[in-house]
């Protein structure tokens, strides 16, 4: 079944390109706001939510594109829609001189609201952990 593309834009309170890039493209950065633990092995990234020794969920993704200091795109290993991916993109605002985080993700129509809620929670974690 074909998934619906969603795009979320979030203005960041920073004009530091290296800090933002680290938060959206490295296992250490992603573990601060997307998952509880993130491990990378080559072009494969493993995301873990929850305590490893208790109830937890793990998903793997392949890195399909990196444009340094601009965007980071992955495809979940269990993804059945060949057009679906998750992308984190940083764009510079000439008006505010800050960066905007643009998130592209895909969900089935009945899961779109849940995905928006998930990203809202992730962005709250990003704000809490880094002030962005």
């Amino acid at each position: 079944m074909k998934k619906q593309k969603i795009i979320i834009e979030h203005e960041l309170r920073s004009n530091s390109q290296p800090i933002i890039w680290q938060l959206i493209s490295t296992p250490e950065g992603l573990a601060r706001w997307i998952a509880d633990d993130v491990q990378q092995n080559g072009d494969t990234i493993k995301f873990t939510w929850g305590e490893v020794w208790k109830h937890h969920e793990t998903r793997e993704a392949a890195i399909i594109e990196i444009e340094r200091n601009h965007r980071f795109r992955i495809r979940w290993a269990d993804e059945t829609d060949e057009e679906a991916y998750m992308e984190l993109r940083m764009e510079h605002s000439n008006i505010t001189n800050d960066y905007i985080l643009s998130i592209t993700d895909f969900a089935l129509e009945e899961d779109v609201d849940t995905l928006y809620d998930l990203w809202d929670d992730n962005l709250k974690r990003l704000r809490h952990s880094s002030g962005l």
Side-chain angles (χ1 to χ4, degrees):
M1 183 173 262
K2 188 156 177 66
K3 292 186 174 181
Q4 182 177 332
K5 183 179 190 177
I6 67 162
I7 298 174
I8 299 167
E9 290 187 346
H10 176 75
E11 187 171 352
L12 301 172
R13 296 181 190 129
S14 176
N15 58 11
S16 174
Q17 184 182 52
I19 290 172
I20 296 168
W21 181 247
Q22 190 271 339
L23 285 167
I24 70 170
S25 69
T26 67
E28 299 79 21
L30 294 168
R32 292 182 68 177
W33 66 289
I34 290 187
D36 296 311
D37 185 52
V38 180
Q39 301 292 321
Q40 183 175 351
N41 185 4
D43 287 340
T44 301
I45 297 185
K46 182 169 128 180
F47 295 81
T48 303
W49 294 269
E51 307 290 341
V52 174
W53 58 88
K54 294 181 181 179
H55 177 74
H56 67 280
E57 179 183 348
T58 301
R59 287 184 80 190
E60 287 191 2
I63 299 170
I64 55 174
E65 190 171 349
I66 295 177
E67 189 176 336
R68 186 161 174 76
N69 294 319
H70 186 60
R71 67 181 169 159
F72 179 77
R73 184 182 288 188
I74 63 171
R75 177 170 290 118
W76 297 109
D78 58 356
E79 181 59 67
T80 57
D81 184 339
E82 292 194 18
E83 294 181 20
Y85 57 88
M86 191 267 289
E87 179 180 271
L88 304 173
R89 176 189 299 254
M90 54 188 282
E91 299 173 355
H92 188 257
S93 170
N94 292 328
I95 296 171
T96 64
N97 202 33
D98 286 335
Y99 280 89
I100 297 167
L101 175 61
S102 178
I103 301 163
T104 303
D105 208 344
F106 290 77
L108 296 172
E109 186 174 340
E110 62 269 17
D111 296 331
V112 168
D113 289 339
T114 302
L115 190 60
Y116 275 112
D117 290 343
L118 176 71
W119 279 112
D120 187 52
D121 288 344
N122 286 341
L123 290 168
K124 285 177 185 172
R125 283 179 67 185
L126 176 63
R127 246 179 272 123
H128 180 72
S129 70
S130 66
L132 300 178

